[in-house]
Amino acid sequence: KNQVEQSPQSLIILEGKNCTLQCNYTVSPFSNLRWYKQDTGRGPVSLTIMTFSENTKSNGRYTATLDADTKQSSLHITASQLSDSASYICVVSAGPTSYDKVIFGPGTSLSVIP
Amino acid sequence: DTGVSQNPRHKITKRGQNVTFRCDPISEHNRLYWYRQTLGQGPEFLTYFQNEAQLEKSRLLSDRFSAERPKGSFSTLEIQRTEQGDSAMYLCASSGDWQTDTQYFGPGTRLTVL
């Protein structure tokens, strides 16, 4: 069964600190993995996308890693800001083409406090 | 604003009524997706269009749900005989990049069925 799991479920950190969110998947065949940020009450916004051959991808203070062998990904947030408070969703696409099946993880809720 | 727009933003209806949501994708994006998201969960794929063709439907899309994209531009999602379990956020996304399929999400329509 194709699944995407994320940990932790929720996280509270102090402003300025770093944090790492985890994503494990059992999706096959693998096409790509994306991280989205979703503010409360709004649609998700794409942060990074990685294909099988990519190990790391950065977008400002966000750095995503991918280990296709262990089927794990992480999203590292550096020097957190209050505006980073949101749900972070890992999304894995299966199939030879990316639109065949898109599996969303449940998300990690991040709260950055002053 | 040239992003994905959805209308209405909120809809409250009584059980058994029909509702219709509209999504206007980013101009010239040929792919359009509908997702459903319940509180605390990641979005679930419902259906996908490439231009006016509906290429994939999730098993979540019961026969009470129908989606159209008649001219390959905006799309509508209709729910007939609504049930309380239909209460959710309905998200629309569009994509114009064939290779990465980066999806840009709208703000969503929040449906409450009383």
Side-chain angles (χ1 to χ4, degrees), chain A residues 9 32 34 36 38 41-46 49 89 93 97-107, chain B residues 9 31 33 35 37 40-43 45 48 50 55-56 89 91 98-103 105-107:
Chain A
Q9 184 177 14
N32 61 63
R34 287 168 272 185
Y36 282 89
Q38 185 174 24
R42 308 192 70 169
V45 174
S46 180
I49 180 170
I89 303 173
S93 295
T97 53
S98 65
Y99 55 80
D100 280 8
K101 191 180 293 290
V102 179
I103 300 103
F104 284 71
Chain B
R9 293 292 308 276
R31 297 182 176 182
Y33 303 78
Y35 295 88
Q37 185 175 28
Q41 301 296 316
F45 170 78
Y48 150 68
Q50 180 150 325
L55 295 188
E56 187 174 351
M89 174 78 85
L91 292 165
W98 180 84
Q99 287 189 314
T100 66
D101 193 35
T102 298
Q103 297 176 27
F105 283 81

